[in-house]
PDB file of all heavy atoms in Angstrom:
ATOM      1  N   GLU A 728       7.027  -6.542   4.429  1.00 94.00           N
ATOM      2  CA  GLU A 728       7.994  -6.575   5.526  1.00 94.00           C
ATOM      3  C   GLU A 728       7.361  -5.943   6.798  1.00 94.00           C
ATOM      4  O   GLU A 728       6.891  -4.792   6.769  1.00 94.00           O
ATOM      5  CB  GLU A 728       9.249  -5.739   5.115  1.00 94.00           C
ATOM      6  CG  GLU A 728      10.156  -6.421   4.121  1.00 94.00           C
ATOM      7  CD  GLU A 728      10.842  -7.585   4.702  1.00 94.00           C
ATOM      8  OE1 GLU A 728      11.027  -7.644   5.888  1.00 94.00           O
ATOM      9  OE2 GLU A 728      11.235  -8.532   3.876  1.00 94.00           O
ATOM     10  N   VAL A 729       7.469  -6.700   7.846  1.00 94.00           N
ATOM     11  CA  VAL A 729       6.821  -6.264   9.114  1.00 94.00           C
ATOM     12  C   VAL A 729       7.386  -4.925   9.559  1.00 94.00           C
ATOM     13  O   VAL A 729       6.677  -4.005  10.049  1.00 94.00           O
ATOM     14  CB  VAL A 729       6.960  -7.301  10.202  1.00 94.00           C
ATOM     15  CG1 VAL A 729       6.436  -6.780  11.586  1.00 94.00           C
ATOM     16  CG2 VAL A 729       6.306  -8.560   9.864  1.00 94.00           C
ATOM     17  N   ASP A 730       8.693  -4.700   9.383  1.00 93.00           N
ATOM     18  CA  ASP A 730       9.363  -3.537   9.847  1.00 93.00           C
ATOM     19  C   ASP A 730       9.020  -2.273   8.955  1.00 93.00           C
ATOM     20  O   ASP A 730       9.173  -1.110   9.421  1.00 93.00           O
ATOM     21  CB  ASP A 730      10.912  -3.681   9.789  1.00 93.00           C
ATOM     22  CG  ASP A 730      11.413  -4.754  10.853  1.00 93.00           C
ATOM     23  OD1 ASP A 730      10.633  -4.938  11.716  1.00 93.00           O
ATOM     24  OD2 ASP A 730      12.561  -5.184  10.630  1.00 93.00           O
ATOM     25  N   LEU A 731       8.410  -2.540   7.764  1.00 94.00           N
ATOM     26  CA  LEU A 731       8.073  -1.477   6.890  1.00 94.00           C
ATOM     27  C   LEU A 731       6.626  -1.007   7.062  1.00 94.00           C
ATOM     28  O   LEU A 731       6.262   0.156   6.973  1.00 94.00           O
ATOM     29  CB  LEU A 731       8.423  -1.827   5.454  1.00 94.00           C
ATOM     30  CG  LEU A 731       9.839  -1.745   4.953  1.00 94.00           C
ATOM     31  CD1 LEU A 731       9.940  -2.182   3.586  1.00 94.00           C
ATOM     32  CD2 LEU A 731      10.352  -0.315   5.090  1.00 94.00           C
ATOM     33  N   VAL A 732       5.838  -2.023   7.214  1.00 96.00           N
ATOM     34  CA  VAL A 732       4.310  -1.753   7.282  1.00 96.00           C
ATOM     35  C   VAL A 732       4.006  -0.846   8.487  1.00 96.00           C
ATOM     36  O   VAL A 732       4.464  -1.037   9.592  1.00 96.00           O
ATOM     37  CB  VAL A 732       3.548  -3.097   7.472  1.00 96.00           C
ATOM     38  CG1 VAL A 732       2.071  -2.748   7.649  1.00 96.00           C
ATOM     39  CG2 VAL A 732       3.706  -3.983   6.193  1.00 96.00           C
ATOM     40  N   GLY A 733       3.330   0.256   8.099  1.00 95.00           N
ATOM     41  CA  GLY A 733       2.942   1.206   9.158  1.00 95.00           C
ATOM     42  C   GLY A 733       3.903   2.401   9.260  1.00 95.00           C
ATOM     43  O   GLY A 733       3.583   3.389   9.885  1.00 95.00           O
ATOM     44  N   THR A 734       5.074   2.309   8.535  1.00 95.00           N
ATOM     45  CA  THR A 734       5.996   3.430   8.540  1.00 95.00           C
ATOM     46  C   THR A 734       5.600   4.446   7.445  1.00 95.00           C
ATOM     47  O   THR A 734       4.932   4.068   6.535  1.00 95.00           O
ATOM     48  CB  THR A 734       7.487   2.946   8.272  1.00 95.00           C
ATOM     49  OG1 THR A 734       7.517   2.320   7.014  1.00 95.00           O
ATOM     50  CG2 THR A 734       7.882   1.952   9.407  1.00 95.00           C
ATOM     51  N   ALA A 735       6.179   5.683   7.580  1.00 95.00           N
ATOM     52  CA  ALA A 735       5.817   6.692   6.615  1.00 95.00           C
ATOM     53  C   ALA A 735       6.845   6.821   5.657  1.00 95.00           C
ATOM     54  O   ALA A 735       8.050   6.815   5.955  1.00 95.00           O
ATOM     55  CB  ALA A 735       5.587   7.981   7.397  1.00 95.00           C
ATOM     56  N   VAL A 736       6.469   6.935   4.350  1.00 94.00           N
ATOM     57  CA  VAL A 736       7.338   7.351   3.277  1.00 94.00           C
ATOM     58  C   VAL A 736       6.719   8.565   2.602  1.00 94.00           C
ATOM     59  O   VAL A 736       5.704   8.492   1.926  1.00 94.00           O
ATOM     60  CB  VAL A 736       7.476   6.223   2.183  1.00 94.00           C
ATOM     61  CG1 VAL A 736       8.306   6.754   1.081  1.00 94.00           C
ATOM     62  CG2 VAL A 736       8.080   5.001   2.817  1.00 94.00           C
ATOM     63  N   GLY A 737       7.318   9.708   2.924  1.00 90.00           N
ATOM     64  CA  GLY A 737       6.699  10.982   2.538  1.00 90.00           C
ATOM     65  C   GLY A 737       5.348  11.113   3.276  1.00 90.00           C
ATOM     66  O   GLY A 737       5.196  10.871   4.477  1.00 90.00           O
ATOM     67  N   PRO A 738       4.271  11.475   2.592  1.00 92.00           N
ATOM     68  CA  PRO A 738       2.992  11.680   3.231  1.00 92.00           C
ATOM     69  C   PRO A 738       2.161  10.422   3.360  1.00 92.00           C
ATOM     70  O   PRO A 738       1.102  10.376   3.937  1.00 92.00           O
ATOM     71  CB  PRO A 738       2.278  12.645   2.310  1.00 92.00           C
ATOM     72  CG  PRO A 738       2.849  12.257   0.965  1.00 92.00           C
ATOM     73  CD  PRO A 738       4.262  11.920   1.182  1.00 92.00           C
ATOM     74  N   LEU A 739       2.697   9.280   2.867  1.00 95.00           N
ATOM     75  CA  LEU A 739       1.945   8.048   2.867  1.00 95.00           C
ATOM     76  C   LEU A 739       2.491   7.019   3.884  1.00 95.00           C
ATOM     77  O   LEU A 739       3.693   6.900   4.066  1.00 95.00           O
ATOM     78  CB  LEU A 739       1.905   7.430   1.517  1.00 95.00           C
ATOM     79  CG  LEU A 739       1.263   8.243   0.421  1.00 95.00           C
ATOM     80  CD1 LEU A 739       1.404   7.545  -0.951  1.00 95.00           C
ATOM     81  CD2 LEU A 739      -0.263   8.513   0.723  1.00 95.00           C
ATOM     82  N   LEU A 740       1.582   6.208   4.462  1.00 96.00           N
ATOM     83  CA  LEU A 740       1.919   5.060   5.312  1.00 96.00           C
ATOM     84  C   LEU A 740       1.983   3.787   4.449  1.00 96.00           C
ATOM     85  O   LEU A 740       1.148   3.614   3.578  1.00 96.00           O
ATOM     86  CB  LEU A 740       0.983   4.923   6.445  1.00 96.00           C
ATOM     87  CG  LEU A 740       0.896   5.996   7.466  1.00 96.00           C
ATOM     88  CD1 LEU A 740      -0.118   5.641   8.513  1.00 96.00           C
ATOM     89  CD2 LEU A 740       2.288   6.177   8.074  1.00 96.00           C
ATOM     90  N   VAL A 741       2.989   2.948   4.697  1.00 97.00           N
ATOM     91  CA  VAL A 741       3.106   1.677   3.954  1.00 97.00           C
ATOM     92  C   VAL A 741       2.082   0.760   4.448  1.00 97.00           C
ATOM     93  O   VAL A 741       2.004   0.484   5.709  1.00 97.00           O
ATOM     94  CB  VAL A 741       4.546   1.135   4.074  1.00 97.00           C
ATOM     95  CG1 VAL A 741       4.662  -0.201   3.368  1.00 97.00           C
ATOM     96  CG2 VAL A 741       5.591   2.099   3.552  1.00 97.00           C
ATOM     97  N   ARG A 742       1.319   0.190   3.573  1.00 97.00           N
ATOM     98  CA  ARG A 742       0.244  -0.717   3.923  1.00 97.00           C
ATOM     99  C   ARG A 742       0.796  -2.217   3.735  1.00 97.00           C
ATOM    100  O   ARG A 742       1.653  -2.460   2.947  1.00 97.00           O
ATOM    101  CB  ARG A 742      -1.033  -0.534   3.116  1.00 97.00           C
ATOM    102  CG  ARG A 742      -1.608   0.842   3.283  1.00 97.00           C
ATOM    103  CD  ARG A 742      -2.928   0.896   2.638  1.00 97.00           C
ATOM    104  NE  ARG A 742      -3.466   2.212   2.559  1.00 97.00           N
ATOM    105  CZ  ARG A 742      -4.831   2.484   2.430  1.00 97.00           C
ATOM    106  NH1 ARG A 742      -5.655   1.468   2.265  1.00 97.00           N
ATOM    107  NH2 ARG A 742      -5.272   3.757   2.245  1.00 97.00           N
ATOM    108  N   ASP A 743       0.093  -3.086   4.391  1.00 97.00           N
ATOM    109  CA  ASP A 743       0.432  -4.524   4.260  1.00 97.00           C
ATOM    110  C   ASP A 743      -0.106  -5.075   2.885  1.00 97.00           C
ATOM    111  O   ASP A 743      -1.296  -4.764   2.585  1.00 97.00           O
ATOM    112  CB  ASP A 743      -0.242  -5.303   5.316  1.00 97.00           C
ATOM    113  CG  ASP A 743       0.350  -6.784   5.463  1.00 97.00           C
ATOM    114  OD1 ASP A 743       0.636  -7.360   4.379  1.00 97.00           O
ATOM    115  OD2 ASP A 743       0.402  -7.275   6.624  1.00 97.00           O
ATOM    116  N   VAL A 744       0.791  -5.722   2.147  1.00 96.00           N
ATOM    117  CA  VAL A 744       0.364  -6.200   0.823  1.00 96.00           C
ATOM    118  C   VAL A 744      -0.794  -7.169   0.912  1.00 96.00           C
ATOM    119  O   VAL A 744      -1.492  -7.344  -0.040  1.00 96.00           O
ATOM    120  CB  VAL A 744       1.543  -6.743   0.089  1.00 96.00           C
ATOM    121  CG1 VAL A 744       1.910  -8.141   0.644  1.00 96.00           C
ATOM    122  CG2 VAL A 744       1.337  -6.924  -1.428  1.00 96.00           C
ATOM    123  N   ALA A 745      -1.015  -7.800   2.105  1.00 95.00           N
ATOM    124  CA  ALA A 745      -2.146  -8.685   2.290  1.00 95.00           C
ATOM    125  C   ALA A 745      -3.465  -7.934   2.105  1.00 95.00           C
ATOM    126  O   ALA A 745      -4.489  -8.615   1.792  1.00 95.00           O
ATOM    127  CB  ALA A 745      -2.072  -9.351   3.684  1.00 95.00           C
ATOM    128  N   ASP A 746      -3.457  -6.640   2.308  1.00 95.00           N
ATOM    129  CA  ASP A 746      -4.670  -5.884   2.099  1.00 95.00           C
ATOM    130  C   ASP A 746      -4.753  -5.101   0.804  1.00 95.00           C
ATOM    131  O   ASP A 746      -5.521  -4.234   0.583  1.00 95.00           O
ATOM    132  CB  ASP A 746      -4.778  -4.814   3.236  1.00 95.00           C
ATOM    133  CG  ASP A 746      -4.735  -5.338   4.642  1.00 95.00           C
ATOM    134  OD1 ASP A 746      -5.293  -6.459   4.816  1.00 95.00           O
ATOM    135  OD2 ASP A 746      -4.064  -4.754   5.572  1.00 95.00           O
ATOM    136  N   LEU A 747      -4.010  -5.587  -0.240  1.00 96.00           N
ATOM    137  CA  LEU A 747      -3.865  -4.968  -1.447  1.00 96.00           C
ATOM    138  C   LEU A 747      -5.179  -4.856  -2.138  1.00 96.00           C
ATOM    139  O   LEU A 747      -5.578  -3.782  -2.716  1.00 96.00           O
ATOM    140  CB  LEU A 747      -2.828  -5.680  -2.335  1.00 96.00           C
ATOM    141  CG  LEU A 747      -2.590  -5.044  -3.722  1.00 96.00           C
ATOM    142  CD1 LEU A 747      -2.025  -3.625  -3.570  1.00 96.00           C
ATOM    143  CD2 LEU A 747      -1.579  -5.896  -4.488  1.00 96.00           C
ATOM    144  N   VAL A 748      -5.935  -5.978  -2.221  1.00 96.00           N
ATOM    145  CA  VAL A 748      -7.179  -6.010  -3.017  1.00 96.00           C
ATOM    146  C   VAL A 748      -8.284  -5.071  -2.408  1.00 96.00           C
ATOM    147  O   VAL A 748      -8.801  -4.161  -3.111  1.00 96.00           O
ATOM    148  CB  VAL A 748      -7.715  -7.469  -3.135  1.00 96.00           C
ATOM    149  CG1 VAL A 748      -9.098  -7.388  -3.832  1.00 96.00           C
ATOM    150  CG2 VAL A 748      -6.758  -8.261  -4.012  1.00 96.00           C
ATOM    151  N   PRO A 749      -8.560  -5.197  -1.183  1.00 96.00           N
ATOM    152  CA  PRO A 749      -9.553  -4.217  -0.567  1.00 96.00           C
ATOM    153  C   PRO A 749      -9.093  -2.762  -0.563  1.00 96.00           C
ATOM    154  O   PRO A 749      -9.884  -1.848  -0.728  1.00 96.00           O
ATOM    155  CB  PRO A 749      -9.833  -4.769   0.858  1.00 96.00           C
ATOM    156  CG  PRO A 749      -8.607  -5.569   1.185  1.00 96.00           C
ATOM    157  CD  PRO A 749      -8.160  -6.179  -0.110  1.00 96.00           C
ATOM    158  N   ALA A 750      -7.757  -2.585  -0.372  1.00 96.00           N
ATOM    159  CA  ALA A 750      -7.210  -1.167  -0.407  1.00 96.00           C
ATOM    160  C   ALA A 750      -7.402  -0.553  -1.792  1.00 96.00           C
ATOM    161  O   ALA A 750      -7.659   0.641  -1.894  1.00 96.00           O
ATOM    162  CB  ALA A 750      -5.752  -1.231   0.027  1.00 96.00           C
ATOM    163  N   CYS A 751      -7.197  -1.402  -2.883  1.00 95.00           N
ATOM    164  CA  CYS A 751      -7.416  -0.798  -4.259  1.00 95.00           C
ATOM    165  C   CYS A 751      -8.807  -0.408  -4.494  1.00 95.00           C
ATOM    166  O   CYS A 751      -9.132   0.530  -5.197  1.00 95.00           O
ATOM    167  CB  CYS A 751      -6.890  -1.810  -5.246  1.00 95.00           C
ATOM    168  SG  CYS A 751      -5.111  -1.963  -5.400  1.00 95.00           S
ATOM    169  N   ALA A 752      -9.756  -1.114  -3.861  1.00 94.00           N
ATOM    170  CA  ALA A 752     -11.179  -0.765  -3.972  1.00 94.00           C
ATOM    171  C   ALA A 752     -11.454   0.555  -3.342  1.00 94.00           C
ATOM    172  O   ALA A 752     -12.244   1.391  -3.822  1.00 94.00           O
ATOM    173  CB  ALA A 752     -12.035  -1.856  -3.269  1.00 94.00           C
ATOM    174  N   GLU A 753     -10.671   0.817  -2.289  1.00 95.00           N
ATOM    175  CA  GLU A 753     -10.812   2.139  -1.623  1.00 95.00           C
ATOM    176  C   GLU A 753     -10.028   3.253  -2.306  1.00 95.00           C
ATOM    177  O   GLU A 753     -10.605   4.366  -2.566  1.00 95.00           O
ATOM    178  CB  GLU A 753     -10.247   2.106  -0.162  1.00 95.00           C
ATOM    179  CG  GLU A 753      -9.994   3.411   0.492  1.00 95.00           C
ATOM    180  CD  GLU A 753      -8.985   3.328   1.640  1.00 95.00           C
ATOM    181  OE1 GLU A 753      -8.688   2.207   2.085  1.00 95.00           O
ATOM    182  OE2 GLU A 753      -8.491   4.373   2.052  1.00 95.00           O
ATOM    183  N   LEU A 754      -8.838   3.030  -2.815  1.00 95.00           N
ATOM    184  CA  LEU A 754      -8.034   3.987  -3.415  1.00 95.00           C
ATOM    185  C   LEU A 754      -8.309   4.268  -4.866  1.00 95.00           C
ATOM    186  O   LEU A 754      -8.032   5.399  -5.451  1.00 95.00           O
ATOM    187  CB  LEU A 754      -6.495   3.544  -3.412  1.00 95.00           C
ATOM    188  CG  LEU A 754      -5.976   3.418  -1.954  1.00 95.00           C
ATOM    189  CD1 LEU A 754      -4.607   2.761  -1.972  1.00 95.00           C
ATOM    190  CD2 LEU A 754      -5.896   4.779  -1.265  1.00 95.00           C
ATOM    191  N   ASP A 755      -8.982   3.341  -5.570  1.00 93.00           N
ATOM    192  CA  ASP A 755      -9.316   3.413  -6.957  1.00 93.00           C
ATOM    193  C   ASP A 755      -8.197   3.839  -7.887  1.00 93.00           C
ATOM    194  O   ASP A 755      -8.256   4.781  -8.629  1.00 93.00           O
ATOM    195  CB  ASP A 755     -10.459   4.451  -7.049  1.00 93.00           C
ATOM    196  CG  ASP A 755     -11.238   4.350  -8.443  1.00 93.00           C
ATOM    197  OD1 ASP A 755     -11.150   3.247  -9.061  1.00 93.00           O
ATOM    198  OD2 ASP A 755     -11.847   5.302  -8.877  1.00 93.00           O
ATOM    199  N   PRO A 756      -7.157   3.157  -7.936  1.00 96.00           N
ATOM    200  CA  PRO A 756      -5.957   3.458  -8.696  1.00 96.00           C
ATOM    201  C   PRO A 756      -6.223   3.130 -10.153  1.00 96.00           C
ATOM    202  O   PRO A 756      -7.008   2.328 -10.551  1.00 96.00           O
ATOM    203  CB  PRO A 756      -4.832   2.579  -8.221  1.00 96.00           C
ATOM    204  CG  PRO A 756      -5.573   1.390  -7.699  1.00 96.00           C
ATOM    205  CD  PRO A 756      -6.829   1.809  -7.137  1.00 96.00           C
ATOM    206  N   THR A 757      -5.485   3.857 -11.089  1.00 95.00           N
ATOM    207  CA  THR A 757      -5.589   3.554 -12.515  1.00 95.00           C
ATOM    208  C   THR A 757      -4.289   2.886 -13.012  1.00 95.00           C
ATOM    209  O   THR A 757      -4.323   2.339 -14.042  1.00 95.00           O
ATOM    210  CB  THR A 757      -5.737   4.859 -13.279  1.00 95.00           C
ATOM    211  OG1 THR A 757      -4.707   5.818 -12.887  1.00 95.00           O
ATOM    212  CG2 THR A 757      -7.124   5.553 -12.981  1.00 95.00           C
ATOM    213  N   ILE A 758      -3.239   2.986 -12.270  1.00 96.00           N
ATOM    214  CA  ILE A 758      -1.973   2.361 -12.644  1.00 96.00           C
ATOM    215  C   ILE A 758      -1.335   1.729 -11.411  1.00 96.00           C
ATOM    216  O   ILE A 758      -1.421   2.293 -10.353  1.00 96.00           O
ATOM    217  CB  ILE A 758      -0.999   3.414 -13.254  1.00 96.00           C
ATOM    218  CG1 ILE A 758      -1.591   3.932 -14.608  1.00 96.00           C
ATOM    219  CG2 ILE A 758       0.436   2.851 -13.466  1.00 96.00           C
ATOM    220  CD1 ILE A 758      -0.721   5.071 -15.219  1.00 96.00           C
ATOM    221  N   ALA A 759      -0.644   0.584 -11.604  1.00 97.00           N
ATOM    222  CA  ALA A 759       0.135  -0.037 -10.525  1.00 97.00           C
ATOM    223  C   ALA A 759       1.544  -0.179 -10.954  1.00 97.00           C
ATOM    224  O   ALA A 759       1.850  -0.429 -12.135  1.00 97.00           O
ATOM    225  CB  ALA A 759      -0.480  -1.398 -10.189  1.00 97.00           C
ATOM    226  N   VAL A 760       2.466  -0.040  -9.959  1.00 97.00           N
ATOM    227  CA  VAL A 760       3.869  -0.274 -10.185  1.00 97.00           C
ATOM    228  C   VAL A 760       4.379  -1.330  -9.353  1.00 97.00           C
ATOM    229  O   VAL A 760       4.081  -1.310  -8.097  1.00 97.00           O
ATOM    230  CB  VAL A 760       4.635   1.034  -9.911  1.00 97.00           C
ATOM    231  CG1 VAL A 760       6.177   0.778 -10.100  1.00 97.00           C
ATOM    232  CG2 VAL A 760       4.217   2.190 -10.770  1.00 97.00           C
ATOM    233  N   ILE A 761       5.056  -2.329  -9.931  1.00 97.00           N
ATOM    234  CA  ILE A 761       5.661  -3.452  -9.189  1.00 97.00           C
ATOM    235  C   ILE A 761       7.103  -3.225  -9.110  1.00 97.00           C
ATOM    236  O   ILE A 761       7.844  -3.197 -10.130  1.00 97.00           O
ATOM    237  CB  ILE A 761       5.321  -4.806  -9.933  1.00 97.00           C
ATOM    238  CG1 ILE A 761       3.785  -5.075 -10.048  1.00 97.00           C
ATOM    239  CG2 ILE A 761       6.036  -5.937  -9.253  1.00 97.00           C
ATOM    240  CD1 ILE A 761       3.457  -6.303 -10.832  1.00 97.00           C
ATOM    241  N   ALA A 762       7.645  -3.190  -7.861  1.00 96.00           N
ATOM    242  CA  ALA A 762       9.078  -3.082  -7.526  1.00 96.00           C
ATOM    243  C   ALA A 762       9.492  -4.097  -6.457  1.00 96.00           C
ATOM    244  O   ALA A 762      10.085  -3.698  -5.478  1.00 96.00           O
ATOM    245  CB  ALA A 762       9.339  -1.660  -7.109  1.00 96.00           C
TER     246      ALA A 762
END
């Protein structure tokens, strides 16, 4: 959602899901949650 991307939820900024794959390479997550 354009209105959500870039907004803050707690200490984190919402990223564009289009950047999910490269962002995961940076964040190195072990678990993902789909909502």
Side-chain angles (χ1 to χ4, degrees):
E728 288 290 337
V729 175
D730 293 341
L731 283 176
V732 174
T734 63
V736 178
L739 298 175
L740 293 180
V741 179
R742 304 190 186 200
D743 194 325
V744 75
D746 301 324
L747 182 60
V748 174
C751 284
E753 168 202 342
L754 298 171
D755 196 23
T757 55
I758 294 175
V760 178
I761 297 175

